[in-house]
Amino acid sequence: MPRTTGPGLRGRAHRAHLPRVARKVGSRSLSTLRPGGTLVSIVPPDESFPADRARAAGMRAVFTLVEPDQAALRAIASLVDSGRLRVEVGAVAPLEEVSRAHALGEGGRTRGKIVLSPT
């Protein structure tokens, strides 16, 4: 399954999309999904949540609440270690440059995750 975020998604057909924060991202994300795809949001749904539009387009839009779970984190780490789950890293910045890293993310032009390194 493709695991990508950011503005470069438009025109691509993904099975799932997990928007990061804003409610408006959820609505825009529907255009990135293929028929039968799923939009997963961690933002609590309100009247703007696109569940009805997703259903009408042959997709799903769901909300999930994530709580810390040591066993689940170990399972995820195992998936990463085995190569079955990959994270696309778009940039690495030293912790002292957190404001630059934040500006990169806000600019919407980074493909992949921005990682802050303590060293």
Side-chain angles (χ1 to χ4, degrees):
M1 173 185 310
R3 292 170 180 85
T4 306
T5 62
L9 286 173
R10 188 164 299 288
R12 296 183 185 180
H14 294 272
R15 283 186 258 165
H17 181 67
L18 292 82
R20 292 178 293 192
V21 286
R23 293 186 194 288
K24 65 182 179 179
V25 173
S27 295
R28 290 194 323 234
S29 297
L30 290 180
S31 67
T32 70
L33 294 175
R34 66 176 72 161
T38 303
L39 168 72
V40 180
S41 176
I42 60 170
V43 178
D46 65 4
E47 67 281 345
S48 70
F49 192 70
D52 292 336
R53 285 189 313 185
R55 196 172 14 265
M59 301 174 215
R60 292 186 324 133
V62 298
F63 164 75
T64 185
L65 179 63
V66 179
E67 301 218 6
D69 178 332
Q70 190 176 43
L73 290 174
R74 282 192 178 122
I76 292 169
S78 176
L79 290 171
V80 171
D81 291 343
S82 71
R84 293 180 56 207
L85 175 64
R86 293 178 306 252
V87 177
E88 184 174 348
V89 176
V92 178
L95 192 54
E96 304 83 51
E97 296 181 22
V98 67
S99 60
R100 182 178 69 84
H102 183 72
L104 277 173
E106 288 294 312
R109 296 179 182 240
T110 308
R111 181 177 172 132
K113 299 296 181 185
I114 300 170
V115 178
L116 291 173
S117 174
T119 59

